[in-house]
């Protein structure tokens, strides 16, 4: 099994979730995170003092899947998370890592069936 | 000694105006909190800036020109100091100026979350300096409409401004929303509507309570006198009825939403309170307490259906429900007056409502279109997505909290 | 001319009642904010809905029936308009109606975070329409208790309602909490108590300041007259002492907690302010400023110990401390009157307190049990865990913030 | 009958004092909310505790000793009850006591986020009991400065306290900040300054609106009479001008920041409103509405530059901008009086400002240093990093929200 | 070493933490997350419009342990996180993945001793 | 490629980010978390009742890097995150795990070039 971790722009969350649902992904865990990357933060103003906010709001998705789903999931996220369908700086990253075991707490099931 | 007595009457009436005026001024805080609670947090700093800015603008333009246009007396309050027959003219101005700010506050909520701040301020300058004073002159100012006919001759009366203030504000708001369009993400391709919950319910509730309190000044002060038994009794009845109508609005709205959707939707209860207040405003002096409660209750019911209908049927995106609360219910308030006041005619009320609406809506629409052509009214898509706070004000409302 | 003078006195007293009434109405916002700040965020929308709903209910039931029951004059304020000898009757009603809402607000905090919203509203209808007006009739209404004896004959006096309003509210609250039980997770198996911090301290502080301000109306208006030198002096002393007692309550509570626990516990300082206010309410007219400060300070100390004791010894789960603030300190307020007022007897105060408590507690207990049998008083465990906001109102108070 | 009339004048003036006093008391809530909104959330509980605590302390020390020192009459308000020629002395005290609390509130914001709570309270005891009453005696109390010369003889006048209250508060604040030093992380090694945004803009805005409203009492009540035509007119002009100046401050500050930085910085708009209010406070009775607007506008511009300059050039770390709003603009307010009031001399204003500043700054500096030596004024680095809330009060302001 | 990542219901946090402490787990990192899965979100109401909230509040626990503790930790979490001791939908998941290295910042210690 | 996960004290965030920028790390994802560990939570007070808060606020950094950067990154974080340069309890942990694949959503690039 694999764990897909995707960092995306917050307003893309619904679109990505729907696209993943359509290809049969049944579970996602989402976290609000702050991202630092090539996309530069914006300038804020407080009582006459300007300052740069380096960390931009992003959403992190963690999706556990079986190994054979990796390509379609990565593909789906890539497409849905791309700004205006073409890609803008800061659209985010997808990380793939290995997952050794999964347990469903409710039933105690393990492995792919627990996803 | 007689003179002393006259002076004391003068003093009492002036004092009364000032206290009522301070209560109405407090409504500016109410609108700010209500609107800040009903928008998303990414648009909160901007709406706060808008509200304090529009209040300042209204106070200034009305001083420079609006008061003169509405009631005469000269620009820049020429020589207002130390004058007045029955009460201080300065107190009268203070009381009137907070009304124009109220009318303007109504607009700010409806166009929230997507309008350019300075386009709004530009509108505020003309609305508070000319559009509102014009219709104010035809009604409270007793001038003929464009020199043609006098509304009072047709049996029109609007005690504290269900129409003159609230419906007028809503008409300007409606024009603004039509020019501006809905928020991104509000309507789906299939035409269905998405709920976009406000970020802070305690603020919205606080705002409603502030408005409820301020409304005692709004309606109570509109008796325009206190220092006799008759006027004191009148003011007291107005307080009582204003409170009763708000209570009726809350109860009716709460029961209705409980029946319709099974839950006690707080935002509808708040809108119910405001609807009750708007509904009674055109005639808080004549009904009994029970009738006032019922007038408010009808307002509370109307507002629930109106908000749903404007949103889902007409696709008018009004984030705080201002057009329903102040416009639809303002009209109901006007039409309810003849029920308890024999001096007021149903046709007169319709004519008055029409006059106000046509003028304010028409003039506002033209003005919004001019502003759109000159400087644009809407922020960019990107700015809207990130929230107008950063784009317009450069600061988040809650910089430390993790938000969507 | 004499008539003009009488009319002006009438006007001044009426005006005074209305301003004081508006301040008391404002206390509804104070209770809402205080309670919204002291519950967890998942129960905030519901408590806001509860507070605006109960205020609306109180205003309506008291109009329909309660005022008549308490002071006579006819149901539905029959013919109240335009009447009054020394001041407008409508102003009197307006002032009285906000008191009954205050009593009811006290209950709402104590039963927070676990009660069914409409069970609460059902209670509110009877409490504000019957239970409170009954004891109000025996005290301020000067009726004999169940036709048997008159409290005033025994030297009972409660100037602005430490007992009649505050202790009464607390008695109803206590009955409610006993029927309802503690919040899930409040007490451990070993009987120890867990702290469940409120979610928003600025709101709780704002609520306290609002109540402090509103209390000037609550106590100041209870002089019931303004238009003579004597009454004006009395009102001024009441303002001064009300403020002094609140200050004394804050200082005493703050110093005590600093000594006991080494930290300046804000929530106790807030409760200290309210305790000072409740304590002085039974007799704000007779003490000197220093004595008023001390009466408040004793209230501030009592409240700290009372909250700890009710929570840890008696396992009475009162999320906002209402029973301590309004009940225990309300009793202290009653008992403190004879210290500075020779017309009031200690035994009369005890008898009055007992009468109020037995009636309100008994009647409320019976009512809560009936409501429990008919519709249930408590939300399900699941609903309580997720927060009553979603279950009862369908909306989070802060939909965007990440919360526990 | 003549007596009745005199009594009614007495009643009206007393009533007026009490209403104005209640409005000024409300400013305590305004300062609390403003400051709670402008500090980081980890320091919010403490600033709330500080604000309610200082108000209580001010009310108590001023009752015990301060009022006597400032206006004579005896300690502990000896026999104040039931007295007064033109209005109730108790009402006068109530009005005065909320002023001293205002002066103290100014300090609390400037020393926020790093001072020990009980060091602050210790300062408050002496400041409200002695330092402020001393200079109050020389000005409003008409005493000679240290028995040497009378300010009034030099043409000094400060209607409602731009200097006596606001600049005095700012002088004490400045002394405190100098003793205390900047917040950790405020200034970089290269001397550049970091922005440390406040956590809650709606609270800051609410606080500003509360202050705006309360200011009607602050300035309006300073006419000290209402029951004649002349005084009623004067009060009305004061209301009008107070409002106009605030509006002018908002507009000027907003336009200026928009021009300077391209964004509508809300915190500067709020400071602009307060600056307008402070600026007009020394003489709200004489200017026309237009001139009042301009006096406020100059205040709004001054405050923007002052805040930047104090922060970046002088490295004075004042988290809420209190020294600029109340000190720099308070001075401007004093100096603006001669422009519209021929009885007031520019030199007198300078002399008065100097007297107040030297005394308050000097005495405060000494006092801060003594407190520093005795108990320390600053929390530990560790406590400051974690926030003073936990260290001083043991409770987070928003226990449930995820914060930085 | 292994990294255990558990998604649980928020109100189970204290119970799980205590159970883990009892078997000697000395470090946990917890994150507030939103979960999408078989458990359906609830309906909310705003100004008369109903809408479904798909993502439910969950807590994510990350626990670094030595390989031989995996079974007991998974077992402990499973038991403590199960609703009413029997298991309800949405009780959550446990993921196990490999951990190559651990460093304790304070001391610079690495490996199992740094846990 | 490797994924470095570091738990640090919140007020060290800026320092760590700057130190990482200096050695050429171009992307970081940060999350607000609560940590339970050897460092004991503090006591809070609410209406006269004391209670212990076990979970302390921490920041979690996730940094995807190529394998050869591991040592310098771990070293840099360790140094920058240490309290007062010497190390205090609660300074945090660094975890290293394997990363199989990375995709940059904007461009579709994969592997080290996508970091
Ligand atoms: N090496 C990395 N490790 C962890 N997170 C990263 C890394 N690089 C980028 N990210 C995350 O991805 C987000 C987008 O990356 P960014 O460099 O801004 O744009 P792009 O991916 O389009 O080049 C960042 O805000 C950050 O959260
Ligand atoms: N494949 C998955 N990948 C990541 N997280 C998942 C996955 N499946 C479930 N989750 C997380 O576990 C939570 C519970 O899962 P759910 O399907 O609702 O119930 P159950 O585990 O009882 O079947 C979800 O809310 C989500 O946070
Ligand atoms: N075994 C672990 N698994 C996951 N996170 C841990 C573990 N041990 C510690 N942590 C995280 O690291 C933080 C610091 O650890 P702590 O034990 O308090 O101090 P130190 O690392 O100095 O010994 C904790 O608050 C927690 O977030």
């Amino acid at each position: 099994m694999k764990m897909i971790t995707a960092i995306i722009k917050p307003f893309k969350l619904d679109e990505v979730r729907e696209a993943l649902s359509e290809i049969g992904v049944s579970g996602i865990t989402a976290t609000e995170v702050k991202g630092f990357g090539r996309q530069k933060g914006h300038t804020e103003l407080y009582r006459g003092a300007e300052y740069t906010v380096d960390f931009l709001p992003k959403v992190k998705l963690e999706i556990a899947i079986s190994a054979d789903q990796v390509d379609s999931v990565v593909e789906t996220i890539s497409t849905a998370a791309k700004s205006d369908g073409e890609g803008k700086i800061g659209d985010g990253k997808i990380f793939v890592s290995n997952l050794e075991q999964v347990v469903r707490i409710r039933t105690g099931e393990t492995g792919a069936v627990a996803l | 000694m007689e003179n002393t007595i006259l002076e004391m009457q003068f003093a009492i009436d002036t004092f009364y105006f000032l206290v009522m005026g301070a209560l109405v001024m407090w409504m500016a805080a109410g609108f700010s909190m209500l609107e800040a609670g009903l928008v998303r947090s990414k648009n909160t700093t901007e709406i706060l800036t808008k509200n304090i800015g529009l209040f300042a603008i209204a106070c200034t333009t009305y001083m420079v020109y609006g008061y003169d246009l509405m009631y005469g007396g000269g620009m820049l309050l020429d020589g207002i100091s130390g004058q007045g027959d029955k009460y201080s003219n300065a107190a009268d101005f203070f009381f009137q100026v907070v009304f124009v700010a109220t009318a303007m506050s109504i607009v700010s909520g409806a166009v929230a979350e997507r309008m350019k701040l300075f386009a709004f301020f530009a509108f505020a300058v003309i609305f508070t300096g000319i559009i509102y004073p014009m219709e104010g002159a035809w009604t409270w100012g007793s001038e003929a409409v464009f020199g043609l006919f006098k509304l009072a001759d047709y049996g029109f009366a609007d005690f504290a401004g269900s129409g003159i203030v609230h419906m007028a504000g809503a008409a300007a708001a409606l024009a603004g929303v039509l020019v501006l369009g809905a928020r991104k993400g509000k309507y789906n391709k299939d035409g269905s509507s998405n709920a976009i919950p406000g970020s802070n319910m305690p603020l919205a509730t606080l705002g409603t309570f502030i408005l409820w309190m301020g409304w005692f000044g709004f309606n109570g002060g509109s008796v325009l006198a206190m220092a006799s038994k008759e006027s004191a009794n009148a003011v007291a009845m107005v307080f009582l009825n204003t409170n009763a109508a708000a209570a009726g609005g809350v109860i009716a709205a709460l029961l209705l939403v409980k029946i319709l959707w099974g839950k006690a939707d707080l935002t509808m209860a708040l809108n119910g309170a405001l609807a009750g207040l708007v509904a009674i405003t055109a005639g808080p002096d004549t009904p009994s307490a029970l009738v006032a409660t019922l007038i408010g209750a009808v307002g509370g019911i109307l507002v629930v259906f109106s908000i749903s209908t404007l949103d889902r049927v007409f696709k008018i995106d009004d984030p705080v429900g201002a057009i329903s609360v102040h416009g639809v219910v303002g009209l109901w308030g006007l039409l309810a007056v003849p029920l308890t006041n024999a001096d007021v005619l149903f046709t007169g009320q319709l004519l008055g409502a029409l006059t106000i609406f046509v003028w304010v809506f028409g003039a506002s629409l033209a003005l919004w279109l001019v502003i759109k052509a000159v400087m644009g009214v809407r922020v960019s898509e990107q700015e809207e997505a990130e929230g107008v706070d950063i784009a317009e004000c450069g600061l988040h409302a809650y910089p430390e909290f993790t938000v969507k």
Side-chain angles (χ1 to χ4, degrees), chain A, chain B:
Chain A
M1 289 164 298
K2 299 291 169 184
M3 177 63 88
I4 310 289
T5 303
I7 316 288
I8 61 171
K9 288 189 170 162
F11 68 93
K12 282 289 182 182
L13 175 59
D14 281 337
E15 232 164 295
V16 171
R17 182 188 55 72
E18 275 163 29
L20 286 171
S21 286
E22 271 164 31
I23 61 160
V25 168
S26 61
I28 303 173
T29 299
T31 315
E32 295 174 356
V33 299
K34 303 270 178 170
F36 173 79
R38 279 169 189 74
Q39 185 192 9
K40 284 300 149 250
H42 54 259
T43 302
E44 302 202 3
L45 185 67
Y46 185 69
R47 294 204 337 194
E50 291 200 337
Y51 61 102
T52 308
V53 174
D54 295 313
F55 283 97
L56 296 169
K58 302 276 173 190
V59 166
K60 178 169 86 175
L61 302 179
E62 286 165 304
I63 309 149
I65 47 170
S66 60
D68 55 356
Q69 291 176 288
V70 168
D71 289 348
S72 77
V73 166
V74 167
E75 177 62 30
T76 304
I77 298 177
S78 290
T79 311
K82 223 172 251 170
S83 291
D84 310 330
E86 32 158 300
K88 275 205 187 145
I89 196 156
D91 280 348
K93 297 268 150 79
I94 304 173
F95 303 116
V96 182
S97 54
N98 193 44
L99 188 57
E100 299 187 344
Q101 184 56 292
V102 179
V103 181
R104 167 173 285 133
I105 291 174
R106 167 164 50 107
T107 56
E109 288 159 295
T110 56
V113 68
L115 288 173
Chain B
M1 203 164 76
E2 187 157 344
N3 195 36
T4 318
I5 292 182
L6 286 179
E7 289 219 3
M8 265 166 60
Q9 287 180 323
F10 185 98
I12 292 172
D13 281 340
T14 299
F15 183 26
Y16 147 80
F17 261 115
L18 294 174
V19 173
M20 298 298 125
L23 286 175
V24 188
M25 177 267 150
W26 184 223
M27 291 173 74
F31 281 110
S32 301
M33 294 302 116
L34 178 66
E35 295 175 13
L38 293 182
V39 298
R40 285 166 290 177
S41 57
K42 66 181 177 182
N43 298 316
T44 302
T45 301
E46 196 260 358
I47 209 148
L48 295 166
T49 311
K50 203 192 271 180
N51 269 283
I52 198 161
L54 77 85
F55 189 81
I57 289 172
C59 289
T60 306
T61 57
Y62 198 67
M63 171 205 52
V64 172
Y65 191 54
Y67 187 68
D68 177 37
L69 196 58
M70 188 154 162
Y71 294 107
M75 275 180 62
L76 288 171
L77 307 184
D78 186 26
I80 204 173
S81 162
Q83 292 191 355
D85 283 337
K86 306 192 65 179
Y87 44 76
S88 169
N89 285 353
D92 183 63
F93 171 77
F94 178 68
F95 184 66
Q96 299 290 342
V97 74
V98 284
F99 272 64
V100 56
T102 299
M104 194 63 221
S105 295
I106 294 167
V107 185
S108 109
V111 300
E113 304 204 303
R114 58 215 193 273
M115 184 177 270
K116 282 188 180 173
L117 182 61
F118 279 80
F120 178 85
F121 284 155
F123 182 85
V125 169
I126 307 295
F127 181 83
T128 59
I130 297 179
I131 297 178
Y132 170 88
M134 286 283 281
E135 55 104 8
W138 302 334
T139 50
W140 290 331
S142 307
E143 302 276 325
V145 179
F146 288 120
L148 300 174
F149 60 97
K150 290 203 173 190
L151 284 172
D153 295 345
Y154 295 84
F156 171 79
D158 186 2
F159 191 83
S162 286
I164 300 167
V165 179
H166 294 278
M167 210 189 65
L174 178 62
V177 171
L178 292 180
V179 171
L180 195 57
R183 287 168 292 175
K184 203 168 157 13
K186 175 66 191 166
Y187 297 108
N188 303 318
K189 278 166 206 154
D190 64 1
S192 63
S193 161
N194 299 311
I196 302 183
S199 53
N200 196 320
M201 292 307 122
L203 279 190
T205 307
L206 175 64
T208 303
F209 273 116
I210 293 175
L211 289 168
W212 190 325
M213 187 200 203
W215 228 288
F216 294 123
F218 199 93
N219 288 357
S222 295
V223 174
L224 306 181
M226 171 53 100
S228 70
K229 184 163 179 178
E230 195 192 334
S231 47
N233 265 324
V235 177
M237 269 315 286
V238 167
F239 267 65
L240 196 165
N241 282 339
T242 300
N243 193 56
V250 171
I251 294 175
L254 259 184
L255 285 179
L256 181 62
V257 293
K258 179 77 183 175
I259 290 165
L260 288 180
W261 298 296
K263 306 239 165 170
D265 184 334
L266 171 65
T267 58
M268 283 300 193
L270 302 180
N271 278 329
L274 299 177
L277 291 162
V278 170
I280 201 66
T281 292
D285 51 339
T286 45
S288 70
L290 179 66
V291 174
T293 307
L294 295 177
I295 290 174
V298 172
I301 288 170
L302 275 177
V303 86
V304 172
F305 288 116
S306 174
I307 286 178
S308 288
T309 309
L310 286 192
D311 179 8
R312 279 179 252 173
V313 180
F314 294 107
K315 315 273 174 247
I316 290 172
D317 180 20
D318 172 359
V320 307
I323 298 169
S324 297
V325 169
H326 301 274
V328 175
V329 180
L331 179 62
W332 154 241
L334 283 180
L335 299 182
V337 182
L339 301 178
T340 62
N341 188 336
D343 298 341
V344 179
L345 300 179
F346 193 75
T347 48
Q349 296 300 84
L350 272 181
L351 180 67
L354 208 72
T355 307
I356 295 170
F357 183 82
V358 169
W359 161 249
V360 177
F361 180 80
S364 298
L365 192 65
L367 179 54
W368 285 122
L369 290 171
V370 169
I371 293 172
K372 184 173 180 178
V374 174
M375 62 192 289
V377 289
R378 189 159 181 149
V379 298
S380 75
E381 271 205 21
Q382 167 84 0
E383 288 170 338
E384 189 177 341
E386 286 179 0
V388 289
D389 282 0
I390 292 303
E392 295 288 24
C393 302
L395 182 66
H396 284 292
Y398 309 97
E400 297 184 12
F401 300 104
T402 305
V403 295
K404 262 187 216 156

